[in-house]
Amino acid sequence: MEFDFQWLLLGLPLAFGLGWLASRLDLRQWRREQQSSPKAYFKGLNLLLNEQQDKAIDAFIEAVQHDPDTSDLHFALGNLFRRRGEYERAVRVHEHLLSRGDLPRAERERAQHALAQDFLKAGLFDRAEAAYRALESTAFATEARLALLTLYERSRDWPAAIETAGKLEAAGAGSFAQRIAHYHCELAHEAQARGQADAAEQALARARQAAPHAARPIVMQGERLARQGRHGEALATWGELMAVQPASFGLVAQAYATSAQAAGQVPQALERLQALYALHPGTQLLRALLQLDADPAARRRRLADHLERQASVSAVLGLIDECLHQQDRLSREELQTVHKVLTAAARPLQRYRCAACGFEAQHYFWQCPGCQSWDSYPPRHVDEL
């Protein structure tokens, strides 16, 4: 039977028409989906900006239902759950993203980072650590290591913290030498508490190697030597602190004076402390000088001079103690100085404080300017409460 080409001529337009009609139907459906999805998305964004988080969540869920393949909507919804403290729901959203096989690598890494944040906020530190470790060699590697460093500090896992800080420094994320020194000092403190003197010594040595000018390793090393009765070595160690971190020397000033007395080096220590005090006057250095100075008149002069240079309540108490010890009275000039110091110290306490929010004011308010509460100010100054 011969093929009739007339049927072909009739069939081609018909097939074309059906194809065109099908494409128009698909196009209209696609447009409807695209219109409904952004509408729900922008509705959720508007609600979020107006701090209506419950309604915003509902809008984002609606947007996700209209367009379940859009990862940005999932991220917005998951982050919103996390901000509200609904960590379990946030985890489910981000785990759903990770389970998708069509998710691009960059989006997968982003979802892994969001999941790690969910675990951290939820207090699931073990799972957070595993999630952050999975981000090694990704675009989030530095952020993950910083988060891991915080985790290790919180859990006091100092060896892991040292390793992570070293990786961060090697990756160019900044200098972590000071923090690494602190981690070694913590290990030294733990070893000392367990009675492991050699381990403590090694940890302090590593701390000083990590940050030669850090104050804490030098302070701890000197204290350790002083406890062992090696006061001469302790003085030498703290002498290094005096050179590299003079502002921190006040932390051990009185211990330095005690070791100087035990080692029979009072004149030398007094001379060094006087030179340092001239550059960095402070109450702690003053107390060390008073401890080493045997002359009562000289001690009183030191206190008076210090009050002229740097008025403080601690120095006033020292002057009063010195007068009581000598059974003497304050001179007129000393009384004027004491009055000046106490007036300045009392001024911040001569204020009213709101019992509801803690807002302080010099004048009494019936309604707190801070929290708008009525009758929340006790009718007494802070120093009377």
Side-chain angles (χ1 to χ4, degrees), residues 293-359:
D293 200 336
D295 184 3
R299 289 200 301 270
R300 191 157 173 174
R301 281 196 304 272
R302 289 185 191 279
L303 285 163
D305 292 343
H306 181 84
L307 285 170
E308 288 293 328
R309 299 176 60 181
Q310 192 180 78
S312 68
V313 176
S314 297
V316 165
L317 289 174
L319 180 61
I320 293 173
D321 288 341
E322 194 68 31
C323 289
L324 289 173
H325 181 70
Q326 297 178 24
Q327 297 183 351
D328 197 1
R329 296 180 179 180
L330 293 170
S331 67
R332 181 177 179 81
E333 292 77 12
E334 291 171 337
L335 278 172
Q336 289 174 341
T337 303
V338 169
H339 181 268
K340 177 183 175 183
V341 173
L342 292 180
T343 300
R347 191 175 296 118
L349 301 176
Q350 294 170 341
R351 299 165 68 89
Y352 298 99
R353 178 186 295 160
C354 174
C357 70
F359 187 89

Side-chain angles (χ1 to χ4, degrees), residues 82 87 91 113-129 131-132 143-144 146-152 154:
R82 190 195 311 131
Y87 304 119
V91 166
H113 182 248
L115 182 63
Q117 289 179 302
D118 297 338
F119 289 142
L120 182 62
K121 289 289 186 180
L124 303 173
F125 297 142
D126 291 342
R127 298 182 71 179
E129 180 183 355
Y132 277 122
E143 294 178 38
L146 287 170
L148 282 171
L149 194 61
T150 302
L151 269 176
Y152 295 141
R154 189 178 299 181

Side-chain angles (χ1 to χ4, degrees), residues 354-357 359 361 363-377:
C354 174
C357 70
F359 187 89
H363 301 287
Y364 186 85
F365 288 99
W366 296 104
Q367 184 186 26
C368 175
C371 65
Q372 307 301 314
S373 299
W374 291 98
D375 294 321
S376 59
Y377 274 85

Side-chain angles (χ1 to χ4, degrees), residues 33-307:
E33 291 175 353
Q34 291 299 312
Q35 288 173 355
S36 61
S37 177
K39 184 178 179 181
Y41 177 78
F42 288 120
K43 177 184 176 184
L45 185 60
N46 183 53
L47 290 167
L48 188 59
L49 291 174
N50 289 321
E51 298 184 358
Q52 295 177 286
Q53 295 188 1
D54 291 333
K55 294 181 179 179
I57 287 175
D58 294 336
F60 281 127
I61 290 175
E62 180 186 348
V64 168
Q65 289 171 346
H66 282 302
D67 193 0
D69 294 329
T70 303
S71 59
D72 285 335
L73 292 175
H74 286 79
F75 283 121
L77 187 59
N79 292 339
L80 191 53
F81 281 143
R82 190 195 311 131
R83 285 179 57 186
R84 281 180 52 82
E86 299 182 45
Y87 304 119
E88 186 177 349
R89 299 178 75 181
V91 166
R92 284 205 303 268
V93 170
H94 294 131
E95 284 182 338
H96 170 70
L97 277 172
L98 286 171
S99 67
R100 285 173 46 181
D102 62 336
L103 199 66
R105 179 179 177 182
E107 296 295 293
R108 186 173 296 278
E109 292 173 359
R110 183 182 171 192
Q112 180 68 33
H113 182 248
L115 182 63
Q117 289 179 302
D118 297 338
F119 289 142
L120 182 62
K121 289 289 186 180
L124 303 173
F125 297 142
D126 291 342
R127 298 182 71 179
E129 180 183 355
Y132 277 122
R133 282 190 173 277
L135 291 166
E136 195 73 30
S137 304
T138 69
F140 295 94
T142 299
E143 294 178 38
R145 285 170 181 163
L146 287 170
L148 282 171
L149 194 61
T150 302
L151 269 176
Y152 295 141
E153 288 182 355
R154 189 178 299 181
S155 61
R156 306 186 69 82
D157 188 351
W158 307 121
I162 292 168
E163 179 187 358
T164 304
K167 288 181 179 178
L168 282 165
E169 190 163 338
S175 175
F176 289 82
Q178 198 84 3
R179 290 174 76 167
I180 291 172
H182 279 298
Y183 301 153
H184 284 299
C185 287
E186 291 291 339
L187 287 173
H189 181 73
E190 291 176 358
Q192 188 69 39
R194 293 192 300 266
Q196 299 173 344
D198 292 340
E201 182 71 29
Q202 293 170 6
L204 285 176
R206 286 191 290 267
R208 297 197 63 180
Q209 184 179 5
H213 292 167
R216 187 182 181 187
I218 303 176
V219 168
M220 289 183 66
Q221 181 68 19
E223 289 173 341
R224 186 168 179 275
L225 291 168
R227 282 195 302 269
Q228 295 174 354
R230 298 156 65 181
H231 295 286
E233 296 176 60
L235 291 173
T237 300
W238 285 328
E240 297 178 39
L241 180 65
M242 194 181 292
V244 299
Q245 290 286 352
S248 300
F249 188 81
L251 298 171
V252 295
Q254 288 181 273
Y256 183 87
T258 301
S259 288
Q261 290 171 326
Q265 298 185 26
V266 171
Q268 299 91 324
L270 193 58
E271 183 180 352
R272 296 190 195 104
L273 287 175
Q274 284 174 335
L276 184 62
Y277 178 84
L279 298 173
H280 303 278
T283 306
Q284 294 165 313
L285 282 174
L286 176 65
R287 288 172 179 167
L289 286 168
L290 295 175
Q291 183 177 339
L292 294 177
D293 200 336
D295 184 3
R299 289 200 301 270
R300 191 157 173 174
R301 281 196 304 272
R302 289 185 191 279
L303 285 163
D305 292 343
H306 181 84
L307 285 170

